[in-house]
Amino acid sequence: MIPHCQLPSHIATGPHVSPFVSSPSHAGRAEDLHVPSSGSSAPFSVAPSADHAEASAGAEPRKHTTYPYVTGNSVLAIKYKDGVLMAADMLGAYGSTKRYKSVQRILRVNDTTIVGASGEISDFQYISNLLDELMTQDFCYDDGCTMTPKEVHAYLCRVMYNRRNKMDPLWNSLVVAGVDKTSGSFVGSVGMLGTSYTDSHVATSFGNHLSRPLFREFQRDDMSLEEAVSLMQEALRVLFYRDKTSINKYVLAKVESSGVAISKPFALDTKWDLKAFVNPSKHAVGSW
Amino acid sequence: MASSGCLVSEQKPNGFDFDLCKRNAWLEKQGLQTLKPWSTGTTICGVVYKDGVVLGADTRSTAGETVADKNCEKIHYMAPNIYCCGAGTAADTENVTGMISSQLELHRFRTNRESRVVTSLTLLKSHLFRYQGYISAALVLGGVDCKGPHLFTVFPHGSTDALPFCTMGSGSLNAMAVYESGYKEDMSKAEAMELTKRAIRAGIFNDLGSGSNVDLCVITSEGAEYLRNVDMPNPRTFTAVPKPFARGTTPVLKSKELRVPSLESRVTIESQEGDVATAMDTT
């Protein structure tokens, strides 16, 4: 039951005006940015190069990724009794425009692991290629064992941290989840600065503020699948109500010891007809 | 028109004088350390239920990164049937609500009627708008009057919203998650109180700017019930001064007794009246 998402004609065909023309400081989303605010508006700009040739030529200082362009928002993941559940919506936002409405932000890495990404979509595509190469290499070893979620998480930690050290980060908050037969369920997160941790539940972007309280209150490691799906749907619904760059089109992925299953896109029921919303200024003229 | 040569007295208009704002901003950029205002990094919320309004607040007040007051009161009295939760700069919320509360009382004496929630709303929003957001007070105003239960939010720049449930402060998103998932129309008093307590607890445990205890205020047509510290989920479980250890806890390896001589056997106090008199003489 997916709502008919058709892009309005003027966006599909007409000329595009970059939302970042006037002020770069309003661009994109600060992707779980823990960098202390410095004077500059671009936290990852590099100081002018010390190369004499470049300096004498009056060249621009070398700049790396300073802000994201096409972004995905929250990814949520929780553990339950038989495995792990991950959910994300299908929006690739271009600033505040809801530009791409069928972006698959959850990737199946192998039979035991899934990776979800929020932040810059192009960097996620690059990471997908890296993971594909990793899995191909793993297959070629032909040693009878596949990479576990913990190993994929460790690999991504190193990738992200190394890029951060080059002052050229991959602008993503990644969520790695999976089930390994020997060590059980795994849910972990890696940020654009290389910050990583593992826990029973993880949320990125706006989910940090809106979904974590619900997970902390209701998530238990021994939840049944129905309870877990219901909790996840509640968290997604709250995100749709209160996050402005979100759409009502989600994908749910589940990993159990039997393997990975990624659902088709679905929409949630939402309630907009509260009595109090009908005429809010009935008793307070001039109020909204 | 200065005919007699003396200066015509300038009548300065009432209200905030913004002349120094540009200079202050420039000074701060040069590195001037201004005093950090005590801010109530806060979770406040309110919900309308069947018979009235339930307001909730946490009790932590912060000055920068330190907790200034572990158990402050964020639910302010406006009128017997109207209460207001305040987030933002503590001085601003206290004084703005106090000022409007006095104005409401004077108005009650004049009209001989119960105050209406919209009256306090209009007074608050027009005051805050005049100061263009420089009075950093974000309020959740709730009450019950002859027209029924009302719940409003007031933002520092002076805009207001009329809502069935609302949250403000740094923990507002955390509390809003609980409200959005748990709100039903026409709840009972117990359900509304439990939902509000859960929402404030979400703010306390998920937001660093909020903490300590939960305050609730339930307002119905009968009156208001201010439940101070109704929930205390952060009790002090450690003792400030540790109990002294009993003698013999540590094994004694060696002991040496020192005899301290009595001072009286060393110092002789001589009293000579003559000396004392001259010593005391200050003429």
Side-chain angles (χ1 to χ4, degrees):
Chain A
M1 191 191 85
I2 305 159
H4 186 57
C5 345
Q6 186 179 50
L7 295 172
S9 51
H10 72 277
I11 289 177
T13 56
H16 272 288
V17 178
S18 164
F20 308 113
V21 155
S22 47
S23 66
S25 55
H26 291 306
R29 306 277 291 272
E31 190 48 52
D32 295 345
L33 200 54
H34 302 293
V35 177
S37 54
S38 54
S40 62
S41 61
F44 274 97
S45 69
V46 180
S49 165
D51 276 11
H52 301 297
E54 273 187 40
S56 60
E60 280 269 303
R62 204 178 330 140
K63 272 202 175 141
H64 297 299
T65 307
T66 46
Y67 33 75
Y69 283 90
V70 180
T71 53
N73 69 348
S74 325
V75 176
L76 313 173
I78 54 175
K79 281 189 196 175
Y80 68 100
K81 189 166 58 143
D82 302 319
V84 297
L85 217 55
M86 187 187 289
D89 71 3
M90 300 197 78
L91 178 66
Y94 186 56
S96 53
T97 314
K98 296 180 186 178
R99 185 157 177 189
Y100 303 106
K101 292 192 181 177
S102 297
V103 176
Q104 175 70 281
R105 294 193 291 122
I106 299 183
L107 173 78
R108 176 192 166 280
V109 177
N110 57 24
D111 281 332
T112 59
T113 319
I114 47 176
V115 170
S118 62
E120 174 63 59
I121 300 292
S122 62
D123 285 342
F124 178 52
Q125 287 173 347
Y126 171 70
I127 288 169
S128 305
N129 289 338
L130 286 179
L131 288 170
D132 191 37
E133 283 174 19
L134 192 72
M135 290 305 125
T136 311
Q137 198 179 60
D138 195 32
F139 176 78
C140 291
Y141 285 147
D142 199 15
D143 52 5
C145 52
T146 48
M147 276 215 151
T148 63
K150 201 162 165 205
E151 289 165 350
V152 172
H153 180 248
Y155 172 76
L156 287 172
C157 288
R158 300 272 52 80
V159 166
M160 299 300 271
Y161 186 60
N162 273 289
R163 285 295 296 259
R164 169 244 184 251
N165 284 340
K166 291 190 223 161
M167 295 299 280
D168 182 17
L170 291 165
W171 208 285
N172 291 111
S173 281
L174 303 169
V175 176
V176 181
V179 173
D180 176 40
K181 286 186 185 37
T182 44
S183 45
S185 312
F186 177 91
V187 167
S189 171
V190 194
M192 66 187 266
L193 297 174
T195 328
S196 70
Y197 62 94
T198 60
D199 204 347
S200 299
H201 52 80
V202 144
T204 63
S205 187
F206 246 91
N208 267 314
H209 301 111
L210 290 170
S211 309
R212 247 181 236 279
L214 296 172
F215 289 164
R216 282 190 176 150
E217 204 179 336
F218 294 113
Q219 190 272 345
R220 295 178 332 268
D221 283 349
D222 60 355
M223 295 171 87
S224 68
L225 178 63
E226 290 76 35
E227 288 176 319
V229 170
S230 159
L231 174 63
M232 196 61 106
Q233 284 183 342
E234 201 50 61
L236 291 172
R237 194 174 287 121
V238 172
L239 280 173
F240 178 60
Y241 282 142
R242 293 285 163 176
D243 182 358
K244 83 170 185 193
T245 40
S246 61
I247 53 172
N248 195 1
K249 184 176 174 189
Y250 306 100
V251 159
L252 195 60
K254 171 181 84 151
V255 187
E256 291 182 346
S257 47
S258 51
V260 171
I262 303 185
S263 77
K264 292 214 168 36
F266 64 93
L268 294 169
D269 297 326
T270 50
K271 189 173 167 59
W272 301 92
D273 58 354
L274 294 181
K275 282 195 302 245
F277 290 156
V278 171
N279 188 7
S281 55
K282 183 167 141 199
H283 297 293
V285 179
S287 191
W288 287 30
Chain B
M1 256 192 72
S3 52
S4 59
C6 63
L7 287 165
V8 175
S9 65
E10 241 184 66
Q11 258 210 319
K12 272 217 138 179
N14 284 335
F16 208 79
D17 184 2
F18 292 94
D19 293 341
L20 290 176
C21 288
K22 216 170 174 178
R23 176 207 81 146
N24 291 342
W26 180 84
L27 278 172
E28 268 185 42
K29 232 205 273 180
Q30 302 302 312
L32 176 76
Q33 301 290 346
T34 49
L35 214 72
K36 213 161 172 63
W38 281 28
S39 146
T40 55
T42 294
T43 310
I44 49 173
C45 60
V47 66
V48 176
Y49 71 99
K50 195 159 48 121
D51 310 316
V53 176
V54 176
L55 300 172
D58 75 306
T59 61
R60 173 180 285 184
S61 159
T62 51
E65 305 303 319
T66 343
V67 175
D69 190 345
K70 289 182 280 189
N71 206 0
C72 70
E73 291 189 13
K74 299 187 189 179
I75 305 186
H76 309 285
Y77 167 87
M78 296 284 274
N81 59 327
I82 308 171
Y83 275 74
C84 185
C85 309
T89 307
D92 288 338
T93 57
E94 296 260 351
N95 286 296
V96 147
T97 49
M99 214 165 66
I100 269 68
S101 171
S102 325
Q103 290 180 13
L104 282 176
E105 188 162 358
L106 290 170
H107 193 247
R108 277 201 298 283
F109 286 133
R110 182 94 176 95
T111 58
N112 199 22
R113 275 164 181 68
E114 183 186 64
S115 296
R116 298 222 192 152
V117 188
V118 280
T119 316
S120 61
L121 179 74
T122 313
L123 288 169
L124 282 165
K125 75 181 338 187
S126 41
H127 180 79
L128 290 174
F129 181 70
R130 244 174 67 222
Y131 289 85
Q132 288 293 297
Y134 282 93
I135 294 189
S136 170
L139 311 166
V140 168
L141 177 69
V144 178
D145 57 27
C146 59
K147 296 279 188 182
H150 300 290
L151 181 68
F152 301 106
T153 48
V154 188
F155 288 83
H157 284 265
S159 65
T160 58
D161 288 296
L163 294 163
F165 57 91
C166 56
T167 63
M168 297 286 265
S170 56
S172 62
L173 286 160
N174 300 306
M176 187 48 89
V178 173
Y179 266 165
E180 279 284 14
S181 55
Y183 176 75
K184 293 190 315 253
E185 294 190 293
D186 297 326
M187 283 188 283
S188 69
K189 177 174 157 181
E191 287 174 325
M193 283 176 66
E194 188 49 43
L195 186 65
T196 307
K197 272 194 241 172
R198 269 184 56 212
I200 299 292
R201 274 202 299 267
I204 287 173
F205 291 116
N206 293 288
D207 175 43
L208 293 173
S210 318
S212 297
N213 313 312
V214 181
D215 285 351
L216 236 56
C217 186
V218 185
I219 312 174
T220 53
S221 50
E222 264 98 69
E225 209 184 323
Y226 182 37
L227 301 160
R228 170 86 173 133
N229 286 353
V230 67
D231 194 8
M232 302 183 73
N234 291 300
R236 189 176 208 173
T237 49
F238 56 90
T239 48
V241 176
K243 235 177 26 193
F245 292 101
R247 246 183 207 198
T249 310
T250 322
V252 177
L253 297 176
K254 205 166 43 169
S255 65
K256 180 176 176 184
E257 206 176 291
L258 293 169
R259 305 202 68 241
V260 179
S262 157
L263 284 173
E264 283 174 23
S265 59
R266 291 284 178 139
V267 175
T268 44
I269 304 162
E270 292 174 25
S271 57
Q272 284 178 336
E273 282 155 23
D275 282 9
V276 172
T278 47
M280 283 298 163
D281 197 354
T282 51
T283 51

